[in-house]
Amino acid sequence: MTEQSVRLIGGEMPAWSDRRPGERPPAGGPVLAHLLDRLAALLPTGGRALIAGPHDDTIVAGLAAYTDVTCLLRGRPDADRLAGRGVTVLCGTLAKLTDTDRYDVVVALDGLDRLCSVEGPQYDWAEALQVLRRTLRSGGTLLLAVENELGVHRLVDRSAVTAARTDGAWRPLGEFDGSKPGAPTRLAARLAAEGLAVSWLGAAWPLPASPTLVATPNALQEGPSGAVAGAAAGAVGAAYARQPVLSDPRRLAAAAVRGGLGAEFAAAWIVLAHRAPRPRLVGPPPSALLSTGPLPGATVLELGRDRDRGGGWVRRVVGGTVEATPHRDPTALDGPMPAGQLLEELLLSACLRHDLPRLRRLLTGWSAWLATLDGQRAYATADNVLLDGDTYALLDPSPRDPDPPGAPTAAVAALRRLARTLLSGGYAHPWPAATDQDALTLVLAGAAGLDVGPELTTMPVPTGPVGPDSLREHEEQLRALRDQLADATARTDWYAQELALRDAELRRAHLQIAVFSGSLGHRLARLGLSVARRARHILRRSRP
C-alpha cells in the first residue's frame, strides 16, 4: 500500500474504525445494492461518484463497476482497508471537503451522523447536508438515507438512543437534533430548501442500515394492504428474532401499514434528490423492493402495478438468488401479489371478540385447504397465509420441504404455533381454562375439525421463524402466571378451610361419643340391649 492509495484530507482518526464490534454495521444488503444498480442509469459518461460514510463492500464494488468512485471515511483503518480496490479514498472529516471536489452522484445510505471526526467541527444534520450538496455538480443526484427517530425500531428498543452505549456515540443526539426532519413531507421540504428536488422517496424497514423492504408512501397506501403489512411484519420479525425488545415489533409494523402510517413509522427514509437542472429518469426506482429468504442467498423482488394486466399488483424477481434448490424455489414468487388479510390477524381478532363461529369457519377452511398442499404444507402457518374471501394463499410460496409431513401433523404444528402466540402475547381468547400450549392446541384442533390424539398436540413446534424476546409479552406471561397462582392459592385456601371445618366437626363428634359412652344411662342402655338380644335368642331356640 502506498501513501497515494489513501488521501489524507485532514481531521482523520488514526486508530478509529466504524467497523469495530458493537458499532452500527455499515449500510448494505441486497435491497440497497439493487437500488444502486438502478441509480447507475443516471450516471453520465465519465461521471464521478462519492460514497460518504461506511458502506458495505458490495455497495462500493457495485457502484465502482459503473463509474469512478471516491469514498469518504473518517477512520484511517477503514480507509486503509479500501486502498487498492479500484476506488479513491479520502480519509478525514466532512468539514475538510473542498468546493473543488465535485461529483455527479453522492451516496450517503449510512446517514450523515458518521461523517465528522473528533478532530474537527461537529456538524448537525442540516450542516452536513449543505456540505454534501455543495459537492454535487449541476444536475447531480443525491441518494440519502435518513433515520426516523419515531420508527418502530426506536419504539421497541429497550435502551435509550440518547445514551452513549458505544465509543462511536460521542454525540448521541437522537430526537434532539432539531435540524433533522421527522417526517417524509418535512424531509422533502428541507431538501427543496437546499435546492434539491426529490424524485423518489421510499420508507425502509426494518433497520436503517440493512433494510429488507423499501416502499414508497403511495405503495404503502395503495398496495395490497394485507400482503404489504405481512411483508413489513415478516421483515421486522426476522430482524428482531430472539432480540430483546419492549414489545413485539411485528404487531406495530403491521398495524402501522394497515392504518396508513407505514411511512411515518418506518425505520428510515431513502430519498433520491437532484440539483437543477433535474435529470430525466430512465427507469425510475420501483414502487417497492423486498428481499426475502435467508442471507446470503436472499432474493430481491420488485413490487408494483402491472399496467398490462389492469393495474393489478405483481411481484417480480429482479436480483439475488434465483436458482431453485430442494428447499426453496424463488421463481414461485413471480406473478400477481395475493390479496386479502393475514390469517393470523383474522384469528387473533376473532379470539379477542370471542367469535366462535368465525373461528371455526376460518380454521376449518384453512385445514381443508392445507390438505391440498404438498411441499409447501409445513409453511402454511397462520403468519404466512392470506385470506381473501374464501380463498387462501401463501404470502411467501418459495419455501419447499423435500419430505413434507402429513396434513394432520402440519396442521397441528401450525396450530401449536398459534397457541404459543395467543398465550405468550397475552391475547384474550374464548378458552380461559386452556392455560398451556398442549391444552389450547387440542382445543384449536377441535375447532379446525381435526380428530387428533394427544401424541400430536404435544409434539414440539418445528423450526421456523422465531419471534422477538418481548418484554411486554414477558409481562403478560407473568400476569397469566400470577392469575394461575392466585387461583391455585384461593382453591388451596378453600380446601384448607373445608378441612379445618370438617376436622372441627369430627372432634366434636368424638367428644360427644366419649361423653355419652361414660354415662350411667348409656351403660344401662347397653345392658338392656344385651339382655334383650339374649332373650330373643332363647325364644328362637325354644320354638319347635
Side-chain angles (χ1 to χ4, degrees), residues 116-141:
C116 296
S117 76
V118 294
E119 306 296 336
Q122 305 297 306
Y123 288 163
D124 60 17
W125 187 88
E127 292 169 333
L129 176 65
Q130 291 170 0
V131 175
L132 291 184
R133 181 191 63 80
R134 289 196 297 266
T135 64
L136 280 175
R137 291 173 176 165
S138 297
T141 299

Side-chain angles (χ1 to χ4, degrees), residues 50-65:
L50 171 68
I51 299 180
H55 288 69
D56 189 75
D57 292 345
T58 57
I59 299 293
V60 177
L63 191 57

Side-chain angles (χ1 to χ4, degrees), residues 19 28 73 105 113 145 152 158 239 271 285 305 316 484 496 507:
R19 293 175 176 267
L73 298 167
V105 170
D113 59 323
V152 167
R158 288 193 183 185
V271 62
R305 292 186 181 276
R316 185 166 57 93
Q484 295 179 34
R507 286 199 300 269

